[in-house]
Amino acid sequence: NRVGHEEVIDWFELAFEVCPGFAEAYYNNAVAHKNLRDIAAAIRCYRKVVEHGEPGEPEVEESRSLLADLAESIRRTEGIGLDTYLDSMDEFNRAVALMAEGRWEAAVDGFRAAIALNGRNAPSHGNLGLCHAYLGNKDLVLAELDRALDIDPEYEPARANRKVVARMRDGERLGSRNRQILDFAWKKLRMLKEKGIR
């Protein structure tokens, strides 16, 4: 249950203020983040377990193993190291926050920064395309959505958004008449993430 995991994370954050070296709490916090599909936050918590825990403790050894597995998986799928992945996710999350505020130009810069670190992340390209759609740059939108689909042919938000944008006139900005389909795409992505498919 998403709300349950979010509440647990809030409680752990309070616990860290009182006892910043509580390795077992970091481990449980990592599990909650992992269940929410926030891999970057989980990685940071697993690292805290290793930093604060005693070698040989089950949580420490499992965290080491999980970090090694995640590093290998990210290297294989994204072609980058763990630190670069974390930096790219930070840029991505900042850009998403700018999108939510309707700050499209700033979000474009943010997604470009994320892509500079990790060019193989389909959502970065897809969201960069959406920003361009709100700015009325149809050619750039289609190029970014196509790049997202090249990376991940099953990335449904890019496919749905491409259909909407293809019908737009050159220079037309994405507006409220297109909102319903975009909302569908966001909901679909969240559903896939919750099922662990994306």
Side-chain angles (χ1 to χ4, degrees), residues 74-146:
I74 288 167
R75 193 173 5 267
R76 190 175 58 250
T77 60
E78 310 287 325
I80 57 175
L82 215 49
D83 289 326
T84 303
Y85 173 81
L86 291 173
D87 291 343
S88 73
M89 290 308 299
D90 289 343
E91 294 290 349
F92 178 87
N93 290 331
R94 280 191 286 272
V96 168
L98 292 166
M99 276 182 80
E101 295 171 5
R103 296 175 58 196
W104 308 116
E105 291 92 350
V108 164
D109 292 340
F111 287 119
R112 284 184 179 151
I115 289 167
L117 293 165
N118 180 7
R120 290 167 58 178
N121 182 279
S124 291
H125 288 280
N127 285 328
L128 177 54
L130 284 179
C131 292
H132 283 303
Y134 280 102
L135 294 169
N137 303 322
K138 182 177 178 177
D139 290 342
L140 295 175
V141 178
L142 294 174
E144 291 300 333
L145 294 175
D146 287 345

Side-chain angles (χ1 to χ4, degrees), residues 157-172:
R159 187 177 320 285
N161 292 337
R162 196 181 192 299
K163 289 177 185 174
V164 173
V165 172
R167 293 190 300 261
M168 292 170 59
R169 295 182 309 276
D170 288 336
E172 180 182 357

